[in-house]
Amino acid sequence: MPPLLYKKILDASAEVDERHQKLAKDSYDHFSLEYFVPHWHARFSKLQKYPLLVAPLGNLKEISQTGSRAWLIDNGLKDISFFKGELSSCFRSPADTVLWLTPKESETKEYLFLSNLVGNNKLAALSEPRTVIGVGGGIICNAASFVAESLRADLIFATTTVMSMADVCGGKVRANLISQGSEVKHYYKSFYEPNMILADPRFLKPAPTIPTRSGIAELVKQGIFQSPALLEFLMSDEFRPFDLSSD
């Protein structure tokens, strides 16, 4: 990376670091911060900033009370004790369409699969104003981004993994193309910022070890390229993600 570009990234990240460092430790389970949409991104004309809300999943019932909503939800979350009942209370029938998806890099992030998903009769019939809500990890949130961008709908993430909580800010939309036995990584690339991100810390207590390690690797990468303060914390003795006795 060119040194001048690296400096610009660090300078732009300093203000975000400062806002995070001002948070009191006892507020980590419930707080809100705003992120700004770059003026060169496609959504800037309609969306200049969006909140990251760390709070219980049930807060989703307060959003988008008008129009139709499509929920794209990780099928693997059904067995989590608090999840299904709390999420069900957020649904508004018949205005809501609910699709349960199994996150697979080779399918749920594949361009033709996602294009067919957009053409799903239930999604195509959504009346305006439309909101797409992705509930799950990075692959599910990416699918929700693709659908929302295609429908020009509002977009909300409810992130459930370390990786997605680390990586969904910024609005990346990516799709691979698999055809005749070959794969084109990130065949489709775009940016479509969410209107809101909700992160419920309960999904991380406890979290599977291998996905957590992958998410931490993403955090380290972001620390190296964007945030010296984050990297310093990750390298400190205070950061103990697999110590169940710590917070």
Short mmCIF file of all heavy atoms in Angstrom, two decimals, residues 46-110:
data_model
loop_
_atom_site.label_atom_id
_atom_site.label_comp_id
_atom_site.label_asym_id
_atom_site.label_seq_id
_atom_site.Cartn_x
_atom_site.Cartn_y
_atom_site.Cartn_z
N LYS A 46 -28.88 9.89 -0.51
CA LYS A 46 -30.03 9.60 0.34
C LYS A 46 -29.66 9.24 1.77
O LYS A 46 -30.50 9.29 2.67
CB LYS A 46 -30.84 8.45 -0.26
CG LYS A 46 -31.50 8.79 -1.59
CD LYS A 46 -32.36 7.64 -2.07
CE LYS A 46 -33.07 8.01 -3.37
NZ LYS A 46 -33.92 6.89 -3.85
N LEU A 47 -28.40 8.88 1.98
CA LEU A 47 -27.98 8.41 3.31
C LEU A 47 -26.58 8.92 3.59
O LEU A 47 -25.62 8.49 2.97
CB LEU A 47 -28.00 6.87 3.34
CG LEU A 47 -27.64 6.19 4.66
CD1 LEU A 47 -28.75 6.38 5.68
CD2 LEU A 47 -27.37 4.70 4.45
N GLN A 48 -26.47 9.86 4.53
CA GLN A 48 -25.15 10.43 4.85
C GLN A 48 -24.51 9.78 6.07
O GLN A 48 -23.29 9.84 6.24
CB GLN A 48 -25.27 11.94 5.09
CG GLN A 48 -25.52 12.75 3.83
CD GLN A 48 -26.97 12.67 3.37
OE1 GLN A 48 -27.88 12.90 4.16
NE2 GLN A 48 -27.19 12.36 2.10
N LYS A 49 -25.31 9.15 6.92
CA LYS A 49 -24.76 8.48 8.10
C LYS A 49 -25.73 7.40 8.56
O LYS A 49 -26.91 7.39 8.20
CB LYS A 49 -24.50 9.47 9.24
CG LYS A 49 -25.72 10.26 9.69
CD LYS A 49 -25.32 11.29 10.72
CE LYS A 49 -26.55 12.11 11.16
NZ LYS A 49 -26.18 13.14 12.17
N TYR A 50 -25.21 6.47 9.37
CA TYR A 50 -26.05 5.39 9.88
C TYR A 50 -25.54 4.96 11.25
O TYR A 50 -24.35 5.07 11.54
CB TYR A 50 -26.07 4.20 8.91
CG TYR A 50 -24.73 3.63 8.57
CD1 TYR A 50 -24.18 2.57 9.30
CD2 TYR A 50 -23.99 4.13 7.50
CE1 TYR A 50 -22.95 2.04 8.99
CE2 TYR A 50 -22.75 3.60 7.18
CZ TYR A 50 -22.24 2.56 7.91
OH TYR A 50 -21.01 2.03 7.59
N PRO A 51 -26.43 4.46 12.10
CA PRO A 51 -26.01 4.07 13.45
C PRO A 51 -25.58 2.61 13.55
O PRO A 51 -26.12 1.73 12.88
CB PRO A 51 -27.29 4.30 14.28
CG PRO A 51 -28.39 4.02 13.31
CD PRO A 51 -27.89 4.46 11.96
N LEU A 52 -24.59 2.39 14.40
CA LEU A 52 -24.25 1.05 14.89
C LEU A 52 -24.81 0.97 16.30
O LEU A 52 -24.40 1.72 17.19
CB LEU A 52 -22.75 0.84 14.91
CG LEU A 52 -22.24 -0.35 15.74
CD1 LEU A 52 -22.72 -1.67 15.16
CD2 LEU A 52 -20.73 -0.34 15.85
N LEU A 53 -25.77 0.08 16.51
CA LEU A 53 -26.43 -0.06 17.80
C LEU A 53 -26.06 -1.40 18.41
O LEU A 53 -26.34 -2.45 17.83
CB LEU A 53 -27.95 0.04 17.63
CG LEU A 53 -28.81 -0.14 18.88
CD1 LEU A 53 -28.53 0.97 19.90
CD2 LEU A 53 -30.29 -0.17 18.52
N VAL A 54 -25.41 -1.38 19.55
CA VAL A 54 -25.13 -2.59 20.31
C VAL A 54 -26.24 -2.71 21.35
O VAL A 54 -26.33 -1.91 22.29
CB VAL A 54 -23.75 -2.53 20.98
CG1 VAL A 54 -23.53 -3.75 21.87
CG2 VAL A 54 -22.66 -2.44 19.93
N ALA A 55 -27.12 -3.69 21.15
CA ALA A 55 -28.34 -3.78 21.96
C ALA A 55 -29.02 -5.12 21.70
O ALA A 55 -28.66 -5.83 20.75
CB ALA A 55 -29.28 -2.63 21.60
N PRO A 56 -30.01 -5.49 22.51
CA PRO A 56 -30.74 -6.74 22.29
C PRO A 56 -31.45 -6.78 20.94
O PRO A 56 -31.89 -5.74 20.41
CB PRO A 56 -31.75 -6.78 23.45
CG PRO A 56 -31.13 -5.94 24.51
CD PRO A 56 -30.41 -4.84 23.78
N LEU A 57 -31.59 -7.97 20.41
CA LEU A 57 -32.22 -8.19 19.11
C LEU A 57 -33.63 -7.61 19.04
O LEU A 57 -34.07 -7.15 17.98
CB LEU A 57 -32.26 -9.70 18.83
CG LEU A 57 -32.72 -10.16 17.46
CD1 LEU A 57 -31.69 -9.80 16.40
CD2 LEU A 57 -32.95 -11.68 17.48
N GLY A 58 -34.34 -7.62 20.16
CA GLY A 58 -35.71 -7.14 20.18
C GLY A 58 -35.89 -5.70 19.75
O GLY A 58 -37.01 -5.27 19.43
N ASN A 59 -34.79 -4.92 19.72
CA ASN A 59 -34.88 -3.54 19.26
C ASN A 59 -35.30 -3.44 17.80
O ASN A 59 -35.72 -2.37 17.35
CB ASN A 59 -33.53 -2.83 19.46
CG ASN A 59 -33.31 -2.40 20.90
OD1 ASN A 59 -33.58 -1.27 21.28
ND2 ASN A 59 -32.81 -3.32 21.71
N LEU A 60 -35.21 -4.53 17.06
CA LEU A 60 -35.61 -4.50 15.65
C LEU A 60 -37.11 -4.25 15.50
O LEU A 60 -37.55 -3.80 14.44
CB LEU A 60 -35.23 -5.82 14.97
CG LEU A 60 -33.75 -6.06 14.73
CD1 LEU A 60 -33.53 -7.45 14.12
CD2 LEU A 60 -33.15 -5.00 13.82
N LYS A 61 -37.90 -4.54 16.53
CA LYS A 61 -39.35 -4.33 16.41
C LYS A 61 -39.70 -2.85 16.30
O LYS A 61 -40.80 -2.50 15.88
CB LYS A 61 -40.08 -4.96 17.59
CG LYS A 61 -39.87 -4.26 18.92
CD LYS A 61 -40.70 -4.89 20.04
CE LYS A 61 -40.25 -6.29 20.32
NZ LYS A 61 -40.95 -6.89 21.49
N GLU A 62 -38.76 -1.98 16.66
CA GLU A 62 -39.02 -0.55 16.64
C GLU A 62 -38.73 0.09 15.29
O GLU A 62 -39.02 1.27 15.09
CB GLU A 62 -38.17 0.16 17.71
CG GLU A 62 -38.33 -0.39 19.11
CD GLU A 62 -39.76 -0.27 19.62
OE1 GLU A 62 -40.44 0.70 19.23
OE2 GLU A 62 -40.18 -1.15 20.40
N ILE A 63 -38.16 -0.67 14.36
CA ILE A 63 -37.72 -0.06 13.11
C ILE A 63 -38.65 -0.41 11.95
O ILE A 63 -39.34 -1.43 11.95
CB ILE A 63 -36.27 -0.47 12.76
CG1 ILE A 63 -36.14 -2.00 12.77
CG2 ILE A 63 -35.30 0.12 13.75
CD1 ILE A 63 -36.09 -2.62 11.42
N SER A 64 -38.71 0.51 11.00
CA SER A 64 -39.44 0.30 9.73
C SER A 64 -40.86 -0.19 9.98
O SER A 64 -41.23 -1.29 9.58
CB SER A 64 -38.68 -0.70 8.84
OG SER A 64 -37.42 -0.23 8.53
N GLN A 65 -41.65 0.64 10.61
CA GLN A 65 -43.03 0.28 10.91
C GLN A 65 -43.97 0.49 9.73
O GLN A 65 -45.15 0.17 9.80
CB GLN A 65 -43.52 1.08 12.12
CG GLN A 65 -42.80 0.75 13.42
CD GLN A 65 -42.96 -0.70 13.84
OE1 GLN A 65 -44.04 -1.26 13.71
NE2 GLN A 65 -41.89 -1.30 14.32
N THR A 66 -43.46 1.06 8.64
CA THR A 66 -44.27 1.25 7.44
C THR A 66 -43.67 0.47 6.29
O THR A 66 -42.49 0.12 6.30
CB THR A 66 -44.36 2.74 7.05
OG1 THR A 66 -43.02 3.23 6.80
CG2 THR A 66 -44.97 3.55 8.17
N GLY A 67 -44.50 0.19 5.29
CA GLY A 67 -44.01 -0.51 4.11
C GLY A 67 -43.82 -2.00 4.35
O GLY A 67 -44.28 -2.56 5.34
N SER A 68 -43.14 -2.64 3.41
CA SER A 68 -42.94 -4.09 3.49
C SER A 68 -41.49 -4.40 3.83
O SER A 68 -40.59 -3.63 3.52
CB SER A 68 -43.31 -4.74 2.14
OG SER A 68 -42.58 -4.15 1.10
N ARG A 69 -41.29 -5.55 4.46
CA ARG A 69 -39.95 -5.92 4.91
C ARG A 69 -39.65 -7.36 4.51
O ARG A 69 -40.52 -8.23 4.56
CB ARG A 69 -39.84 -5.79 6.43
CG ARG A 69 -40.20 -4.41 6.95
CD ARG A 69 -39.94 -4.26 8.44
NE ARG A 69 -40.70 -5.19 9.25
CZ ARG A 69 -40.70 -5.19 10.59
NH1 ARG A 69 -39.98 -4.29 11.24
NH2 ARG A 69 -41.41 -6.07 11.26
N ALA A 70 -38.40 -7.58 4.11
CA ALA A 70 -37.92 -8.93 3.81
C ALA A 70 -36.82 -9.27 4.79
O ALA A 70 -35.85 -8.52 4.94
CB ALA A 70 -37.41 -9.00 2.37
N TRP A 71 -36.96 -10.41 5.46
CA TRP A 71 -35.97 -10.88 6.42
C TRP A 71 -35.19 -12.03 5.80
O TRP A 71 -35.78 -13.03 5.38
CB TRP A 71 -36.65 -11.37 7.69
CG TRP A 71 -37.42 -10.34 8.44
CD1 TRP A 71 -38.64 -9.81 8.10
CD2 TRP A 71 -37.05 -9.73 9.68
NE1 TRP A 71 -39.05 -8.90 9.05
CE2 TRP A 71 -38.10 -8.83 10.04
CE3 TRP A 71 -35.96 -9.85 10.53
CZ2 TRP A 71 -38.06 -8.06 11.20
CZ3 TRP A 71 -35.92 -9.09 11.70
CH2 TRP A 71 -36.97 -8.21 12.02
N LEU A 72 -33.88 -11.91 5.73
CA LEU A 72 -33.00 -13.00 5.32
C LEU A 72 -32.25 -13.45 6.57
O LEU A 72 -31.46 -12.69 7.14
CB LEU A 72 -32.01 -12.53 4.25
CG LEU A 72 -32.50 -12.51 2.79
CD1 LEU A 72 -33.71 -11.61 2.62
CD2 LEU A 72 -31.38 -12.06 1.86
N ILE A 73 -32.52 -14.68 7.01
CA ILE A 73 -32.08 -15.11 8.33
C ILE A 73 -31.27 -16.40 8.23
O ILE A 73 -31.64 -17.33 7.50
CB ILE A 73 -33.29 -15.33 9.27
CG1 ILE A 73 -34.20 -14.09 9.27
CG2 ILE A 73 -32.82 -15.63 10.69
CD1 ILE A 73 -35.48 -14.28 10.05
N ASP A 74 -30.19 -16.48 8.98
CA ASP A 74 -29.35 -17.67 9.06
C ASP A 74 -30.15 -18.80 9.70
O ASP A 74 -30.59 -18.71 10.85
CB ASP A 74 -28.10 -17.36 9.89
CG ASP A 74 -27.11 -18.52 9.94
OD1 ASP A 74 -27.50 -19.67 9.66
OD2 ASP A 74 -25.95 -18.27 10.28
N ASN A 75 -30.32 -19.88 8.95
CA ASN A 75 -31.09 -21.02 9.42
C ASN A 75 -30.47 -21.66 10.66
O ASN A 75 -31.16 -22.30 11.46
CB ASN A 75 -31.18 -22.06 8.29
CG ASN A 75 -32.23 -23.10 8.55
OD1 ASN A 75 -33.37 -22.79 8.87
ND2 ASN A 75 -31.85 -24.36 8.42
N GLY A 76 -29.17 -21.48 10.86
CA GLY A 76 -28.49 -22.10 11.99
C GLY A 76 -28.75 -21.42 13.32
O GLY A 76 -28.31 -21.92 14.37
N LEU A 77 -29.48 -20.30 13.31
CA LEU A 77 -29.74 -19.58 14.55
C LEU A 77 -30.98 -20.09 15.29
O LEU A 77 -31.22 -19.70 16.43
CB LEU A 77 -29.93 -18.08 14.26
CG LEU A 77 -28.73 -17.36 13.64
CD1 LEU A 77 -29.12 -15.93 13.26
CD2 LEU A 77 -27.56 -17.35 14.61
N LYS A 78 -31.74 -20.96 14.66
CA LYS A 78 -33.02 -21.39 15.23
C LYS A 78 -32.88 -22.05 16.60
O LYS A 78 -33.80 -22.00 17.42
CB LYS A 78 -33.71 -22.36 14.28
CG LYS A 78 -34.26 -21.71 13.03
CD LYS A 78 -34.98 -22.74 12.16
CE LYS A 78 -35.60 -22.11 10.93
NZ LYS A 78 -36.30 -23.10 10.08
N ASP A 79 -31.74 -22.68 16.86
CA ASP A 79 -31.57 -23.43 18.11
C ASP A 79 -31.07 -22.58 19.27
O ASP A 79 -30.93 -23.08 20.39
CB ASP A 79 -30.60 -24.60 17.89
CG ASP A 79 -31.16 -25.64 16.93
OD1 ASP A 79 -32.39 -25.76 16.85
OD2 ASP A 79 -30.36 -26.31 16.25
N ILE A 80 -30.78 -21.31 19.04
CA ILE A 80 -30.34 -20.42 20.12
C ILE A 80 -31.53 -20.04 20.97
O ILE A 80 -32.55 -19.57 20.46
CB ILE A 80 -29.64 -19.17 19.55
CG1 ILE A 80 -28.38 -19.59 18.79
CG2 ILE A 80 -29.29 -18.19 20.66
CD1 ILE A 80 -27.63 -18.45 18.15
N SER A 81 -31.43 -20.23 22.27
CA SER A 81 -32.58 -20.18 23.16
C SER A 81 -33.35 -18.87 23.08
O SER A 81 -34.58 -18.86 22.98
CB SER A 81 -32.13 -20.43 24.61
OG SER A 81 -31.15 -19.48 25.00
N PHE A 82 -32.67 -17.74 23.14
CA PHE A 82 -33.39 -16.46 23.18
C PHE A 82 -33.85 -16.00 21.81
O PHE A 82 -34.69 -15.10 21.69
CB PHE A 82 -32.51 -15.37 23.79
CG PHE A 82 -31.38 -14.91 22.90
CD1 PHE A 82 -31.57 -13.93 21.94
CD2 PHE A 82 -30.12 -15.48 23.00
CE1 PHE A 82 -30.54 -13.52 21.12
CE2 PHE A 82 -29.08 -15.07 22.19
CZ PHE A 82 -29.30 -14.09 21.24
N PHE A 83 -33.33 -16.63 20.75
CA PHE A 83 -33.42 -16.04 19.42
C PHE A 83 -34.83 -16.08 18.82
O PHE A 83 -35.39 -15.05 18.47
CB PHE A 83 -32.44 -16.75 18.47
CG PHE A 83 -32.54 -16.30 17.05
CD1 PHE A 83 -32.04 -15.07 16.65
CD2 PHE A 83 -33.14 -17.10 16.09
CE1 PHE A 83 -32.12 -14.65 15.34
CE2 PHE A 83 -33.24 -16.69 14.77
CZ PHE A 83 -32.72 -15.46 14.40
N LYS A 84 -35.39 -17.27 18.71
CA LYS A 84 -36.59 -17.40 17.89
C LYS A 84 -37.77 -16.62 18.46
O LYS A 84 -38.46 -15.91 17.74
CB LYS A 84 -36.96 -18.87 17.72
CG LYS A 84 -37.89 -19.12 16.54
CD LYS A 84 -37.98 -20.59 16.18
CE LYS A 84 -38.83 -20.78 14.94
NZ LYS A 84 -38.96 -22.21 14.56
N GLY A 85 -37.98 -16.73 19.79
CA GLY A 85 -39.10 -16.01 20.38
C GLY A 85 -38.94 -14.51 20.28
O GLY A 85 -39.88 -13.78 19.96
N GLU A 86 -37.72 -14.04 20.52
CA GLU A 86 -37.47 -12.60 20.48
C GLU A 86 -37.60 -12.06 19.06
O GLU A 86 -38.13 -10.98 18.84
CB GLU A 86 -36.08 -12.30 21.04
CG GLU A 86 -35.88 -10.85 21.41
CD GLU A 86 -34.69 -10.65 22.33
OE1 GLU A 86 -34.46 -11.52 23.21
OE2 GLU A 86 -34.00 -9.64 22.18
N LEU A 87 -37.12 -12.84 18.08
CA LEU A 87 -37.22 -12.39 16.70
C LEU A 87 -38.67 -12.43 16.21
O LEU A 87 -39.11 -11.51 15.51
CB LEU A 87 -36.35 -13.26 15.80
CG LEU A 87 -36.25 -12.79 14.35
CD1 LEU A 87 -35.50 -11.46 14.26
CD2 LEU A 87 -35.57 -13.84 13.49
N SER A 88 -39.40 -13.46 16.59
CA SER A 88 -40.79 -13.57 16.16
C SER A 88 -41.62 -12.37 16.59
O SER A 88 -42.54 -11.94 15.89
CB SER A 88 -41.42 -14.86 16.72
OG SER A 88 -40.77 -16.00 16.20
N SER A 89 -41.26 -11.80 17.73
CA SER A 89 -42.00 -10.64 18.21
C SER A 89 -41.77 -9.41 17.34
O SER A 89 -42.51 -8.42 17.44
CB SER A 89 -41.60 -10.32 19.66
OG SER A 89 -40.27 -9.83 19.73
N CYS A 90 -40.74 -9.46 16.48
CA CYS A 90 -40.43 -8.33 15.59
C CYS A 90 -41.18 -8.41 14.27
O CYS A 90 -41.26 -7.41 13.54
CB CYS A 90 -38.94 -8.29 15.31
SG CYS A 90 -37.89 -8.09 16.76
N PHE A 91 -41.74 -9.59 13.93
CA PHE A 91 -42.39 -9.76 12.64
C PHE A 91 -43.74 -9.05 12.61
O PHE A 91 -44.46 -9.01 13.61
CB PHE A 91 -42.59 -11.25 12.32
CG PHE A 91 -41.32 -12.01 12.14
CD1 PHE A 91 -41.28 -13.38 12.38
CD2 PHE A 91 -40.16 -11.38 11.72
CE1 PHE A 91 -40.11 -14.11 12.21
CE2 PHE A 91 -38.98 -12.09 11.56
CZ PHE A 91 -38.96 -13.46 11.80
N ARG A 92 -44.08 -8.53 11.43
CA ARG A 92 -45.38 -7.92 11.20
C ARG A 92 -46.04 -8.65 10.03
O ARG A 92 -45.75 -8.39 8.88
CB ARG A 92 -45.25 -6.43 10.86
CG ARG A 92 -44.80 -5.55 12.00
CD ARG A 92 -44.86 -4.08 11.62
NE ARG A 92 -43.87 -3.73 10.60
CZ ARG A 92 -44.16 -3.44 9.34
NH1 ARG A 92 -45.41 -3.48 8.92
NH2 ARG A 92 -43.20 -3.11 8.47
N SER A 93 -46.91 -9.56 10.33
CA SER A 93 -47.60 -10.29 9.28
C SER A 93 -48.84 -9.49 8.85
O SER A 93 -49.53 -8.90 9.69
CB SER A 93 -48.02 -11.66 9.81
OG SER A 93 -48.63 -12.42 8.80
N PRO A 94 -49.17 -9.45 7.54
CA PRO A 94 -48.52 -10.11 6.40
C PRO A 94 -47.51 -9.21 5.69
O PRO A 94 -47.13 -9.50 4.55
CB PRO A 94 -49.72 -10.39 5.48
CG PRO A 94 -50.62 -9.21 5.70
CD PRO A 94 -50.45 -8.81 7.15
N ALA A 95 -47.11 -8.13 6.32
CA ALA A 95 -46.21 -7.18 5.65
C ALA A 95 -44.77 -7.69 5.57
O ALA A 95 -43.95 -7.10 4.88
CB ALA A 95 -46.22 -5.84 6.39
N ASP A 96 -44.47 -8.78 6.28
CA ASP A 96 -43.10 -9.29 6.31
C ASP A 96 -42.96 -10.58 5.52
O ASP A 96 -43.81 -11.48 5.59
CB ASP A 96 -42.66 -9.55 7.75
CG ASP A 96 -42.34 -8.26 8.50
OD1 ASP A 96 -42.57 -7.18 7.93
OD2 ASP A 96 -41.89 -8.35 9.65
N THR A 97 -41.89 -10.67 4.77
CA THR A 97 -41.49 -11.91 4.08
C THR A 97 -40.25 -12.44 4.78
O THR A 97 -39.28 -11.70 4.96
CB THR A 97 -41.19 -11.64 2.60
OG1 THR A 97 -42.38 -11.20 1.94
CG2 THR A 97 -40.66 -12.90 1.92
N VAL A 98 -40.28 -13.70 5.20
CA VAL A 98 -39.18 -14.29 5.95
C VAL A 98 -38.58 -15.44 5.15
O VAL A 98 -39.28 -16.39 4.79
CB VAL A 98 -39.64 -14.79 7.33
CG1 VAL A 98 -38.46 -15.38 8.10
CG2 VAL A 98 -40.29 -13.66 8.12
N LEU A 99 -37.28 -15.33 4.85
CA LEU A 99 -36.55 -16.39 4.14
C LEU A 99 -35.42 -16.88 5.02
O LEU A 99 -34.56 -16.11 5.45
CB LEU A 99 -35.98 -15.86 2.82
CG LEU A 99 -36.99 -15.30 1.80
CD1 LEU A 99 -36.25 -14.78 0.58
CD2 LEU A 99 -38.00 -16.37 1.39
N TRP A 100 -35.42 -18.19 5.31
CA TRP A 100 -34.35 -18.79 6.10
C TRP A 100 -33.31 -19.35 5.14
O TRP A 100 -33.62 -20.14 4.24
CB TRP A 100 -34.91 -19.91 6.98
CG TRP A 100 -35.87 -19.41 8.01
CD1 TRP A 100 -37.22 -19.26 7.87
CD2 TRP A 100 -35.56 -19.00 9.34
NE1 TRP A 100 -37.77 -18.77 9.04
CE2 TRP A 100 -36.77 -18.60 9.95
CE3 TRP A 100 -34.37 -18.92 10.07
CZ2 TRP A 100 -36.83 -18.13 11.27
CZ3 TRP A 100 -34.43 -18.45 11.37
CH2 TRP A 100 -35.63 -18.07 11.96
N LEU A 101 -32.06 -18.93 5.29
CA LEU A 101 -31.00 -19.33 4.37
C LEU A 101 -29.87 -20.04 5.12
O LEU A 101 -29.61 -19.74 6.28
CB LEU A 101 -30.41 -18.09 3.68
CG LEU A 101 -31.37 -17.22 2.87
CD1 LEU A 101 -30.64 -15.99 2.35
CD2 LEU A 101 -31.99 -18.00 1.72
N THR A 102 -29.22 -20.96 4.44
CA THR A 102 -28.04 -21.63 4.98
C THR A 102 -26.80 -20.96 4.38
O THR A 102 -26.63 -20.97 3.16
CB THR A 102 -28.03 -23.12 4.63
OG1 THR A 102 -29.20 -23.74 5.20
CG2 THR A 102 -26.79 -23.80 5.19
N PRO A 103 -25.97 -20.32 5.22
CA PRO A 103 -24.82 -19.59 4.66
C PRO A 103 -23.75 -20.52 4.12
O PRO A 103 -23.15 -21.29 4.86
CB PRO A 103 -24.31 -18.79 5.87
CG PRO A 103 -24.77 -19.56 7.07
CD PRO A 103 -26.06 -20.20 6.68
N LYS A 104 -23.51 -20.43 2.81
CA LYS A 104 -22.46 -21.21 2.16
C LYS A 104 -21.75 -20.30 1.17
O LYS A 104 -22.39 -19.66 0.33
CB LYS A 104 -23.04 -22.41 1.42
CG LYS A 104 -23.65 -23.49 2.30
CD LYS A 104 -24.15 -24.65 1.44
CE LYS A 104 -24.77 -25.75 2.31
NZ LYS A 104 -25.27 -26.86 1.47
N GLU A 105 -20.42 -20.25 1.27
CA GLU A 105 -19.63 -19.43 0.36
C GLU A 105 -19.91 -19.81 -1.09
O GLU A 105 -19.97 -18.95 -1.97
CB GLU A 105 -18.14 -19.60 0.66
CG GLU A 105 -17.22 -18.76 -0.20
CD GLU A 105 -17.01 -17.35 0.32
OE1 GLU A 105 -17.37 -17.08 1.48
OE2 GLU A 105 -16.48 -16.52 -0.44
N SER A 106 -20.10 -21.12 -1.36
CA SER A 106 -20.28 -21.61 -2.72
C SER A 106 -21.71 -21.44 -3.23
O SER A 106 -21.97 -21.69 -4.41
CB SER A 106 -19.89 -23.08 -2.80
OG SER A 106 -20.71 -23.86 -1.94
N GLU A 107 -22.62 -21.01 -2.37
CA GLU A 107 -24.02 -20.87 -2.79
C GLU A 107 -24.59 -19.51 -2.42
O GLU A 107 -24.99 -18.73 -3.29
CB GLU A 107 -24.88 -21.98 -2.17
CG GLU A 107 -26.34 -21.91 -2.57
CD GLU A 107 -27.13 -23.07 -1.98
OE1 GLU A 107 -26.86 -24.22 -2.38
OE2 GLU A 107 -28.01 -22.81 -1.13
N THR A 108 -24.63 -19.21 -1.12
CA THR A 108 -25.32 -18.01 -0.66
C THR A 108 -24.56 -16.73 -0.99
O THR A 108 -25.10 -15.63 -0.84
CB THR A 108 -25.56 -18.09 0.87
OG1 THR A 108 -25.77 -19.45 1.24
CG2 THR A 108 -26.78 -17.29 1.27
N LYS A 109 -23.30 -16.87 -1.45
CA LYS A 109 -22.53 -15.71 -1.90
C LYS A 109 -22.27 -15.79 -3.40
O LYS A 109 -21.44 -15.06 -3.94
CB LYS A 109 -21.20 -15.63 -1.13
CG LYS A 109 -20.53 -14.27 -1.18
CD LYS A 109 -19.26 -14.23 -0.33
CE LYS A 109 -18.55 -12.90 -0.47
NZ LYS A 109 -17.31 -12.83 0.35
N GLU A 110 -23.01 -16.64 -4.09
CA GLU A 110 -22.79 -16.87 -5.51
C GLU A 110 -23.72 -15.97 -6.33
O GLU A 110 -24.89 -15.82 -6.01
CB GLU A 110 -23.02 -18.34 -5.84
CG GLU A 110 -22.33 -18.82 -7.09
CD GLU A 110 -23.11 -18.51 -8.35
OE1 GLU A 110 -24.37 -18.57 -8.29
OE2 GLU A 110 -22.49 -18.21 -9.38
#
